[in-house]
Amino acid sequence: MSVPRVEVTPAAEALIHKMQGLHGPLLFHQSGGCCDGSAPMCFPRGDFRVGQEDVYLGDIVHTPFYMSGPQFELWRHTHLTVDVVPGRGSGFSVEAPEGVRFLIRSRLFTDDEYRALEQEGPPPKGPQH
């Protein structure tokens, strides 16, 4: 992809490396549900089944990032940055025991970025890794 849909802060990159050391290959999923579902969830790659309607937004730190299809339709104009903040997130996400949680920071794509993404066509759906 010429325009990344998802990126990562240095703090989140360091935590992802730590989690990879503890859990092996990972994946992120953003469901858009309520409560913890509105935060990106990070799982060992074999512990989460990517659905055929989940949208692959790209890799961050060698980790695929997926979003549910309905959530992507709402956020298709949005660039995501995965960050990490103090606090307890979901008990299902691998960072929970660390006393921190992953968080999405977002901004709208510029007109030029969005035009470039539209020319590339929609991102792929379903498992990519």
Side-chain angles (χ1 to χ4, degrees):
M1 289 181 218
S2 62
V3 176
R5 291 184 177 273
V6 61
E7 295 181 293
V8 62
T9 65
E13 182 175 355
L15 182 59
I16 293 167
H17 282 298
K18 180 178 181 180
M19 295 297 97
Q20 288 168 332
L22 293 171
H23 302 282
L26 304 170
L27 72 78
F28 276 93
H29 188 269
Q30 176 78 44
S31 72
C34 70
C35 307
D36 285 333
S38 60
M41 304 288 282
C42 186
F43 303 101
R45 208 169 289 177
D47 287 1
F48 184 86
R49 190 171 182 176
V50 175
Q52 293 302 314
E53 293 302 311
D54 287 331
V55 178
Y56 171 68
L57 300 184
D59 281 6
I60 52 171
V61 195
H62 310 292
T63 301
F65 191 103
Y66 295 91
M67 180 178 280
S68 72
Q71 186 67 21
F72 177 75
E73 290 307 314
L74 297 172
W75 285 20
R76 69 181 319 118
H77 301 89
T78 307
H79 176 273
L80 308 177
T81 302
V82 178
D83 200 359
V84 63
V85 295
R88 183 138 164 88
S90 169
F92 296 111
S93 195
V94 295
E95 81 283 5
E98 304 296 315
V100 294
R101 63 187 179 92
F102 289 111
L103 173 83
I104 291 292
R105 300 193 187 280
S106 63
R107 67 168 175 83
L108 292 176
F109 287 114
T110 66
D111 290 343
D112 289 340
E113 288 172 326
Y114 194 70
R115 273 192 293 276
L117 288 168
E118 286 292 297
Q119 287 179 351
E120 289 178 13
K125 290 185 177 182
Q128 300 297 308
H129 292 276

